[in-house]
Amino acid sequence: HVQLVESGGGSVQSGGSLRLTCAASGYGRSRACMAWFRQAPGKEREGVARIYTTGGSVMYADSVKGRFNISADGDKSTVYLQLSDLRPEDTAMYYCAAAQPWIMCPSKFNMRDFGYWGQGTQVTVS
């Protein structure tokens, strides 16, 4: 049974930085595609970045390219999202998502491709 636990959200001023962490359990040594999505009040959930737990196949949404960096620690089945140069429009609940083990990362951010979700961590930029 896969579980995802996020941490690292908070409140920062414009231009600030945060690092989000998503620890997955239940994958063992399997490779999995993991992603970060976010949802702002009144808006649809959107994909931000994704990566394999073993690294590689990194993809970003256009809105965060050059400002966010996703990385993974395969030994720990943990994915990190470094948020830099934050803007008020980055304010949202950020969710970690993971796919079934050994499934290829999808070419687009499609929520239906990710069967496991964390509880979310709030990022507020003022």
Side-chain angles (χ1 to χ4, degrees), residues 12-17 38 62-68 83-92 94 123-126:
V12 296
Q13 294 186 338
S14 292
S17 300
R38 67 184 182 185
D62 288 342
S63 58
V64 305
K65 283 181 181 177
R67 300 188 300 120
F68 292 7
L83 290 67
S84 302
D85 189 23
L86 282 162
R87 305 166 181 171
E89 53 263 40
D90 294 317
T91 294
Y94 283 70
V123 172
T124 302
V125 185
S126 59

Side-chain angles (χ1 to χ4, degrees), residues 4-95:
L4 306 176
V5 178
E6 302 125 327
S7 61
S11 297
V12 296
Q13 294 186 338
S14 292
S17 300
L18 286 171
R19 190 173 85 152
L20 307 183
T21 299
C22 177
S25 60
Y27 276 124
R29 302 187 70 82
S30 302
R31 185 192 72 177
C33 184
M34 294 182 66
W36 288 95
F37 285 75
R38 67 184 182 185
Q39 187 167 18
K43 295 188 176 181
E44 293 186 353
R45 194 170 296 189
E46 61 176 359
V48 175
R50 57 96 152 134
I51 191 172
Y52 283 121
T53 50
T54 51
S57 195
V58 172
M59 184 172 78
Y60 296 97
D62 288 342
S63 58
V64 305
K65 283 181 181 177
R67 300 188 300 120
F68 292 7
N69 183 70
I70 191 169
S71 59
D73 183 336
D75 291 337
K76 298 179 180 179
S77 294
T78 298
V79 172
Y80 307 94
L81 186 67
Q82 179 69 40
L83 290 67
S84 302
D85 189 23
L86 282 162
R87 305 166 181 171
E89 53 263 40
D90 294 317
T91 294
M93 186 70 79
Y94 283 70
Y95 295 92

